[in-house]
Amino acid sequence: PVHKQQQMDFRSSAGAKKHHLPSPEPVRYGRKFIQIHDSFIVAQTEDGFLIVDQHALHESIIYEDLCKRVRQSGLQSQKLLIPESFEVSLSWSDAIAANAELIEKLGIELVPSAPGVMAVQAFPTLLSDVPPVDFVQDLLDLLDRAEVGIDAERLLDDVLNMAACKAAIKAGQKLTDTEIEQLLADRQKAESATRCPHGRPTTITFSIAELEKQFKRT
């Protein structure tokens, strides 16, 4: 039968083309950094190496940038092409009214679009990778839960902590060489990048002497 013949022809090695799987990308040993487990960056230094927690470091850099901009003139915002709406509870409405100045500083513009519904009209450009509605809802949750009479600076700091965490590179996120180079360069320019806003270290440093000691070379 024709079908049987086709099967035999397919299985025959005579004249058949060999299919090779693509070779894996070779390791570039010329680089002075490498990402491991899509969460940490190991980078060579003059006298050893350092290990960077990519999320914690990026969070620290963003937090520092947010603090400077908010205290200078507020965050620059951009109008959304299509405003995004969400339902607002009574407590959220109160939180919006009580924190109108803070929300404006963040570059967020909220307008009523229907009874019990608000629309996000503008959103900060520094948080362009964060879904606007998700962020605003978390913001309103934070403002709603804030202690009565909380200091304005402390409340602003809590908000900026949340914003930096949401905007930062995540653990488990694959980075390109260019992104890693930019992150390491930003670390050098940051005034305080040793710890994230939550107090966790962003970087652990090892010297050649410490490494040799581990290998019993001293």
Side-chain angles (χ1 to χ4, degrees):
V2 174
H3 180 62
K4 183 177 181 181
Q5 183 63 43
Q6 288 175 337
Q7 286 184 328
M8 291 176 64
D9 288 347
F10 178 77
R11 294 184 181 185
S12 174
S13 61
K17 294 182 179 180
K18 293 183 179 180
H19 297 277
H20 297 284
L21 293 174
S23 300
E25 184 180 349
V27 177
R28 295 167 55 190
Y29 291 103
R31 292 184 305 177
K32 292 190 176 181
F33 59 80
I34 188 171
Q35 185 185 30
I36 57 175
H37 298 291
D38 294 343
S39 297
F40 301 95
I41 298 165
V42 181
Q44 180 178 313
T45 62
E46 289 185 4
D47 61 348
F49 67 96
L50 54 83
I51 303 175
V52 171
D53 180 328
Q54 65 189 38
H55 173 73
L57 175 58
H58 197 215
E59 184 180 15
S60 174
I61 292 169
I62 293 175
Y63 172 76
E64 184 177 302
D65 194 15
L66 287 171
C67 286
K68 287 180 180 178
R69 292 173 184 268
V70 164
R71 287 174 171 80
Q72 287 174 356
S73 58
L75 299 184
Q76 183 180 1
S77 64
Q78 183 175 6
K79 292 282 187 180
L80 299 184
L81 188 61
I82 301 176
E84 299 186 21
S85 300
F86 62 99
E87 294 184 359
V88 181
S89 64
L90 182 58
S91 62
W92 278 6
S93 295
D94 292 340
I96 292 172
N99 297 277
E101 184 178 348
L102 186 152
I103 292 171
E104 183 181 356
K105 276 187 177 181
L106 294 175
I108 297 173
E109 183 182 347
L110 302 176
V111 296
S113 61
V117 178
M118 298 289 285
V120 183
Q121 295 272 23
F123 198 67
T125 53
L126 276 179
L127 305 180
S128 58
D129 292 334
V130 180
V133 167
D134 289 351
F135 179 82
V136 171
Q137 289 176 328
D138 287 342
L139 171 64
L140 296 180
D141 262 341
L142 189 156
L143 297 176
D144 187 30
R145 297 195 311 268
E147 301 172 11
V148 177
I150 185 174
D151 178 76
E153 281 296 312
R154 180 183 162 192
L155 180 59
L156 175 61
D157 192 61
D158 288 345
V159 170
L160 297 183
N161 279 343
M162 183 191 74
C165 185
K166 288 184 173 296
I169 294 166
K170 301 298 184 287
Q173 181 177 339
K174 183 72 174 176
L175 303 180
T176 65
D177 285 356
T178 301
E179 290 171 330
I180 294 174
E181 288 171 349
Q182 185 63 59
L183 184 61
L184 295 176
D186 289 343
R187 173 181 175 271
Q188 295 295 327
K189 293 183 291 184
E191 294 179 5
S192 177
T194 57
R195 292 189 177 275
C196 76
H198 306 295
R200 295 189 298 107
T202 64
T203 307
I204 300 174
T205 305
F206 294 89
S207 67
I208 287 295
E210 290 172 315
L211 191 60
E212 288 176 339
K213 185 177 180 180
Q214 292 296 320
F215 283 97
K216 312 296 183 184
R217 296 185 63 181
T218 57

